[in-house]
Amino acid sequence: STSLKKNWNWVSVYVQDATGNKVNSVLESINPNGAVVKNANVFSEYIEGIGWHSTKLTNLTGNTMYKLQMTAADTLIVEGKAYDGNAGVSLVSGWNWLPYYRSFSLSLDDAFASIEPARNDQVKGQEGYAMYNGTTWNGTLKSLQPGKGYLYMSKSNDDKRFNYPTQRNVATAALAPARRNVVERTFAPVDPSE
């Protein structure tokens, strides 16, 4: 489940329901509090007595972020099989609408470890912002959260495709073998006058 506030929410769908994620089915738990749902290209609006209506946005998939306008706070509940993410996420130069389709939170370093972020890449959520300094992510946004959506500014000229790790602390775990090989030594202070 994902808590939604009144006005705009950036969301991701991380389950596949029995209908193939038809808009009316996925957003059923928030009727009539939802007003508009849109991705970067098309939208659907809620019409009392009809439901969610659009000729273009008919399914909500796990491979994009959506902006969902609410007339009142509510909780989005979608039941189904976990979205596998096999299709991956595409990044192009410029701003990208980024889903987060895992059911657990993930640090930015772990989430983006496989794409080699470019210096000054940015990721924005409704709760914070971070910029990549060439080594790590700095800012108020520390992790990606289940059910949330993000905007990602790619400074790279190359198109990229990636999948989020299927477990937590992947980047940290990858560094563990290297850290085990570090030999710790204690040195006695030296008096330069001797």
Side-chain angles (χ1 to χ4, degrees):
S1 67
T2 302
S3 295
L4 303 171
K5 63 183 183 350
K6 183 178 178 180
N7 294 319
W8 289 100
N9 298 267
W10 299 359
V11 299
S12 296
V13 179
Y14 58 98
V15 297
Q16 181 78 30
D17 77 0
T19 70
N21 284 21
K22 298 282 186 206
V23 174
N24 275 306
S25 175
V26 172
L27 301 180
E28 182 178 27
S29 67
I30 61 167
N31 294 342
N33 295 324
V36 175
V37 62
K38 62 183 179 175
N39 64 21
N41 303 307
V42 294
F43 73 96
S44 181
E45 63 183 327
Y46 183 78
I47 301 171
E48 188 70 40
I50 295 176
W52 292 90
H53 177 71
S54 174
T55 57
K56 302 280 184 187
L57 184 60
T58 56
N59 295 68
L60 302 181
T61 63
N63 64 353
T64 191
M65 181 262 283
Y66 298 92
K67 292 185 179 180
L68 177 60
Q69 186 182 33
M70 300 291 294
T71 58
D74 208 333
T75 301
L76 177 63
I77 300 168
V78 183
E79 294 181 6
K81 183 178 142 189
Y83 177 73
D84 61 21
N86 286 339
V89 177
S90 294
L91 286 179
V92 297
S93 183
W95 285 106
N96 297 266
W97 289 41
L98 198 68
Y100 180 63
Y101 52 75
R102 295 294 183 216
S103 60
F104 52 86
S105 62
L106 200 58
S107 74
L108 299 183
D109 286 325
D110 285 341
F112 303 123
S114 68
I115 63 166
E116 299 179 22
R119 185 177 187 82
N120 297 323
D121 273 12
Q122 303 166 45
V123 62
K124 292 181 183 182
Q126 288 188 288
E127 297 83 24
Y129 163 87
M131 182 180 283
Y132 191 72
N133 68 8
T135 306
T136 192
W137 292 93
N138 293 308
T140 57
L141 184 65
K142 303 297 183 192
S143 62
L144 302 184
Q145 300 298 318
K148 301 293 183 180
Y150 300 89
L151 292 174
Y152 188 105
M153 167 59 87
S154 176
K155 297 291 185 172
S156 174
N157 291 325
D158 298 326
D159 292 352
K160 300 177 182 183
R161 180 170 288 282
F162 74 100
N163 281 308
Y164 294 112
T166 56
Q167 60 187 3
R168 292 183 178 106
N169 301 323
V170 174
T172 306
L175 293 174
R179 290 183 181 142
R180 280 195 301 262
N181 294 328
V182 173
V183 177
E184 293 187 28
R185 293 191 172 104
T186 305
F187 294 93
V190 175
D191 182 351
S193 63
E194 294 179 352

